[in-house]
């Protein structure tokens, strides 16, 4: 059991960007935080792992503008901790490697606030490794040296280039892209070989990673031509001539495509696994969340007993239903004579987790197809129990009513918009080739939160006609619609572009 009372603050390094490089301890902290104070370099997929009721406070820097100064960051952390909330300060890489974690730790010590350091993977070796550049290599680089390439605004970059230029091994400069010219000139003017290997890695280990190789004398020109921006790391040394690439180098169908998943956390995680199998670079940013609606035990038992068919329209409904019957101690054998129906393959897979197979699933995963195919199997003695979202399509109830079939429409969850993600959505939207909308409610959240609808034109991929209709009504144009209404259909739609 995680004990938040032991430490009021955790200063957590989340690594260079790839969410899979999170340590187990870092993940535990994020999942239990009351307040997350995070930097600009944090992958939104990491934020997706936070509790729905956690406060997300952006403390980064964009285009030279601080949203919070360091003093304000320190005060924010201390204030929330003093109020009894568990604060997790998220920092890219490692808190103690040019991350100012030491300053934050000192501030907390001075105020008697308990804290811990959770170390993270650093970009100076992982960012290079993901780019295919080993920071050391036998016979070529037996040492490495890491420098900050950034200083406070107005302060000179005071590195000792005279001695650095004479240093053997790999030279790595973090946060130095804005000072690339000074770094290159400093090394060249102090006698470093102009033809030694050099490289720049932008967004290392992340879905939008880019790598550019050259020589010390040419790397500045390459960086300007390719419009390389922060975050980027610079490496100089013979190791730059090595190409041990493994990340984003595959020839899979969606290799190199940056795709944003906006569905609920559970669905986004499922979709991400399948997308990654196709080579896509995935970012999970759930714009909607599921809030359970609890049904009274007696009512739930009565509805189950009275029904002949139980219909789940989504995997969310499946999970919530089985969690509730478990919580109430209802014997699963009470379902033995019920026909269990689902509309899509995702709901069927969710059922399988509980040892239940669907008795009926339509050939096409939509409400209209479900009605057309299930109605011939129903009669005057049938009663359908629909367990679904609070706000759902009226196709099912209207169709059953018109056919004279008795039914109960019981909401087991509500879909809410996670407005905490608005800032991240608008900050990162231009990085994505495609944005996946997996439901009408998700489409509504996407359009409500996006500040410039034009950014979505031609890049939104809809899971099906209902979602597409919602997007059109909200003013989105050039929508890509899947012909099969599941993740496989979405992938196929993107492949054909």
């Amino acid at each position: 059991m995680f004990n938040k009372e032991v430490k009021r603050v955790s200063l957590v390094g989340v690594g260079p960007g790839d969410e899979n490089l999170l340590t187990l301890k870092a993940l535990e902290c994020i999942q239990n935080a009351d307040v997350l104070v995070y930097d600009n370099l944090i992958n939104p997929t990491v934020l997706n792992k936070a509790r729905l009721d956690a406060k997300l406070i952006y403390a980064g820097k964009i285009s030279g503008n601080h949203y919070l100064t360091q003093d304000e960051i320190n005060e924010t952390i201390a204030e929330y901790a003093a109020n009894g909330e568990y604060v997790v300060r998220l920092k890219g890489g490692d808190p103690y490697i040019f991350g100012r974690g030491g300053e934050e730790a000192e501030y907390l010590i001075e105020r008697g606030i308990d804290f811990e350091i959770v170390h993270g993977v650093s970009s100076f070796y992982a960012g290079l490794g993901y780019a295919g550049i080993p920071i050391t290599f036998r016979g070529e680089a037996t040492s490495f040296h890491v420098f900050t390439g950034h200083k406070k605004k107005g302060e000179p970059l005071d590195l000792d280039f005279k001695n650095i230029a004479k240093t053997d091994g790999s030279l790595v400069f973090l946060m130095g892209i804005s000072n690339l010219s000074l770094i290159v000139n400093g090394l060249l003017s102090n006698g470093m070989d102009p033809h030694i290997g050099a490289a720049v890695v932008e967004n290392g280990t992340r879905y939008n990673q880019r790598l550019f190789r050259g020589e010390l004398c040419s790397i500045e020109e390459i960086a300007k031509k390719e419009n390389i921006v922060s975050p980027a790391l610079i490496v100089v040394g013979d190791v730059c001539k090595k190409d041990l690439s493994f990340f984003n180098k595959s020839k899979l169908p969606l290799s190199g495509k940056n795709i944003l998943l906006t569905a609920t956390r559970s669905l986004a995680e499922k979709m991400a696994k399948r997308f990654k199998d196709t080579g896509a670079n995935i970012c999970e940013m759930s714009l909607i969340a599921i809030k359970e609606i609890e049904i009274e035990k007696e009512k739930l038992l009565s509805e189950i007993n009275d029904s002949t068919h139980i219909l789940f329209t989504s995997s969310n409904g499946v999970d919530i239903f089985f969690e509730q019957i478990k919580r109430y101690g209802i014997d699963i054998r009470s379902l033995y004579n019920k026909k269990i129906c689902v509309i899509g393959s995702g709901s069927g897979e969710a059922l399988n987790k509980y040892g239940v197979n669907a008795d009926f699933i339509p050939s096409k995963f939509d409400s209209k197809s479900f009605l057309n195919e299930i109605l011939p199997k129903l009669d005057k003695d049938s009663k359908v129990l629909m367990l679904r979202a609070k706000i759902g399509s009226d196709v099912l109830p209207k169709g059953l009513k018109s056919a004279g079939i008795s039914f109960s429409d019981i909401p087991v969850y509500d879909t809410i918009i996670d407005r905490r993600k608005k800032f991240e959505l608008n900050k990162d939207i231009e990085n994505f080739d495609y944005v996946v909308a997996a439901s009408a409610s998700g489409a509504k959240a996407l359009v409500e939160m996006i500040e410039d609808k034009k950014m979505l034109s031609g890049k939104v991929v809809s899971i099906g006609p209902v979602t597409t209709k919602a997007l059109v009504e909200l003013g989105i144009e050039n929508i890509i619609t899947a012909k099969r209404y599941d993740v496989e259909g979405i992938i196929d739609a993107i492949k054909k572009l």
Side-chain angles (χ1 to χ4, degrees):
M1 177 71 73
F2 186 86
N3 188 354
K4 296 186 289 186
E5 303 303 323
V6 175
K7 300 294 180 186
R8 295 308 323 159
V9 177
S10 296
L11 304 179
V12 178
V14 298
D18 183 349
E19 70 276 10
N20 293 309
L21 295 181
L22 277 177
T23 65
L24 294 175
K25 181 62 181 290
L27 178 60
E28 184 180 48
C29 293
I30 293 166
Q31 291 173 332
N32 287 278
D34 298 315
V35 181
L36 287 138
V37 182
Y38 68 98
D39 281 343
N40 182 43
L41 302 184
I42 303 302
N43 184 339
T45 299
V46 171
L47 299 177
N48 226 40
K49 302 180 185 302
R51 293 194 338 242
L52 186 60
D53 62 342
K55 298 180 184 70
L56 304 183
I57 300 174
Y58 179 74
K61 178 180 179 182
I62 299 178
S63 301
N65 296 315
H66 283 285
Y67 276 69
L68 291 178
T69 65
Q70 187 61 53
D71 287 343
E72 289 170 334
I73 292 171
N74 294 344
E75 291 166 4
T76 298
I77 295 170
E79 180 181 350
Y80 279 108
N83 288 336
E85 298 194 77
Y86 173 49
V87 183
V88 172
R89 171 72 169 112
L90 298 180
K91 308 176 78 66
D94 183 275
Y96 281 175
I97 300 179
F98 304 129
R100 304 188 74 174
E103 296 173 46
E104 294 170 3
E106 277 190 336
Y107 188 91
L108 295 171
I109 289 173
E110 290 168 1
R111 283 150 186 81
I113 298 174
D114 289 336
F115 71 95
E116 66 177 347
I117 297 294
V118 180
H119 292 285
V121 173
S122 178
S123 64
F124 79 77
Y125 57 89
L128 294 183
Y130 270 55
I133 301 172
I135 196 168
T136 65
F137 198 90
R138 186 175 181 180
E140 295 187 22
T142 57
S143 64
F144 60 85
H145 311 269
V146 184
F147 309 92
T148 177
H150 176 74
K151 286 291 183 179
K152 288 183 181 179
K153 190 174 182 180
E155 290 187 6
L157 187 64
D158 55 352
L159 295 177
D160 184 4
F161 287 110
K162 183 177 180 180
N163 285 312
I164 293 173
K166 299 174 184 176
T167 303
D168 292 328
S170 306
L171 308 179
V172 182
F173 299 86
L174 301 182
M175 304 174 292
I177 196 64
S178 62
N179 287 316
L180 180 58
S181 180
L182 292 174
I183 293 169
V184 170
N185 290 331
L187 295 174
L188 290 175
S189 63
N190 282 281
M192 182 163 274
D193 180 2
H195 299 296
I196 194 171
V200 178
V201 184
E202 180 187 83
N203 287 304
T205 80
R206 293 191 62 173
Y207 55 85
N208 51 343
Q209 173 181 296
R210 296 199 300 163
L211 163 69
F212 299 97
R213 300 174 187 264
E215 296 179 334
L216 181 59
C217 60
S218 64
I219 197 65
E220 183 183 357
E221 181 182 349
I222 292 170
K224 287 180 180 177
K225 179 182 176 182
E226 301 295 342
N227 192 31
I228 296 173
V229 296
S230 180
L233 59 86
I234 303 157
V235 59
V236 178
D238 291 332
V239 290
C240 294
K241 297 175 183 178
K242 296 290 181 184
D243 185 1
L244 308 181
S245 300
F246 70 94
F247 184 64
N248 291 349
K249 195 179 179 181
S250 62
K251 300 300 181 183
L252 295 171
L254 299 186
S255 293
K257 299 297 183 184
N258 298 326
I259 297 175
L260 176 64
L261 304 179
T262 63
T264 60
R265 183 189 303 181
S266 60
L267 181 55
E269 288 176 352
K270 292 175 185 175
M271 296 176 79
K273 292 176 183 177
R274 182 65 191 97
F275 267 105
K276 288 176 182 178
D277 289 342
T278 70
N281 306 319
I282 295 299
C283 177
E284 299 166 43
M285 191 188 298
S286 296
L287 304 184
I288 54 175
I290 298 303
K291 184 177 181 181
E292 178 182 346
I293 298 175
E294 190 163 356
I295 310 169
E296 292 182 359
K297 181 178 180 179
E298 291 74 16
K299 179 176 176 57
L300 183 58
L301 274 170
S302 175
E303 291 289 352
I304 292 172
N305 290 334
D306 290 346
S307 67
T308 59
H309 295 70
I310 299 177
L311 168 61
F312 297 100
T313 62
S314 73
S315 59
N316 296 315
V318 172
D319 290 333
I320 290 170
F321 171 76
F322 280 94
E323 285 301 316
Q324 288 196 13
I325 65 171
K326 179 181 177 182
R327 192 183 311 146
Y328 289 144
I330 298 174
D331 194 329
I332 196 171
R333 287 175 294 184
S334 61
L335 306 178
Y336 82 97
N337 62 343
K338 314 299 178 184
K339 297 294 184 182
I340 308 299
C341 309
V342 297
I343 286 185
S345 59
S347 302
E349 291 171 4
L351 274 175
N352 295 156
K353 293 188 305 182
Y354 302 98
V356 178
N357 294 322
D359 294 298
F360 179 82
I361 182 169
S363 57
K364 288 186 178 181
F365 306 150
D366 62 86
S367 298
K368 186 176 180 181
S369 297
F370 175 84
L371 279 172
N372 289 338
E373 296 176 26
I374 194 69
L375 286 177
K377 302 177 183 296
L378 304 178
D379 56 36
K380 61 182 180 59
D381 295 322
S382 300
K383 182 176 180 182
V384 179
L385 170 59
M386 291 191 294
L387 299 168
R388 59 180 192 149
K390 181 179 180 180
I391 300 176
S393 166
D394 61 0
V395 172
L396 289 171
K398 278 187 175 180
L400 291 171
K401 185 175 181 180
S402 297
I405 303 300
S406 177
F407 68 91
S408 291
D409 191 358
I410 306 295
V412 292
Y413 67 91
D414 195 7
T415 304
I416 60 175
I417 297 177
D418 189 352
R419 300 187 187 280
R420 301 174 304 167
K421 307 291 180 62
K422 180 176 180 178
F423 178 81
E424 290 300 312
L425 173 66
N426 288 284
K427 178 170 72 72
D428 293 343
I429 190 64
E430 64 181 3
N431 294 330
F432 301 106
D433 299 302
Y434 302 106
V435 179
V436 174
S439 66
S441 55
K444 182 175 183 291
L446 172 65
V447 179
E448 278 194 17
M449 283 195 274
I450 200 73
E451 292 174 354
D452 184 358
K453 290 183 182 179
K454 293 178 182 178
M455 296 294 293
L456 298 177
S457 181
K459 66 166 58 176
V460 178
V461 186
S462 163
I463 197 169
V466 174
T467 301
T468 296
K469 181 183 177 183
L471 287 163
V472 170
E473 290 173 349
L474 291 164
I476 304 304
E477 301 176 346
N478 301 321
I479 301 160
I480 304 146
T481 304
K483 293 193 179 342
R484 175 177 166 177
Y485 314 145
D486 59 9
V487 65
E488 297 301 329
I490 294 171
I491 291 171
D492 287 341
I494 297 174
K495 285 180 182 178
K496 292 174 181 177
L497 295 175

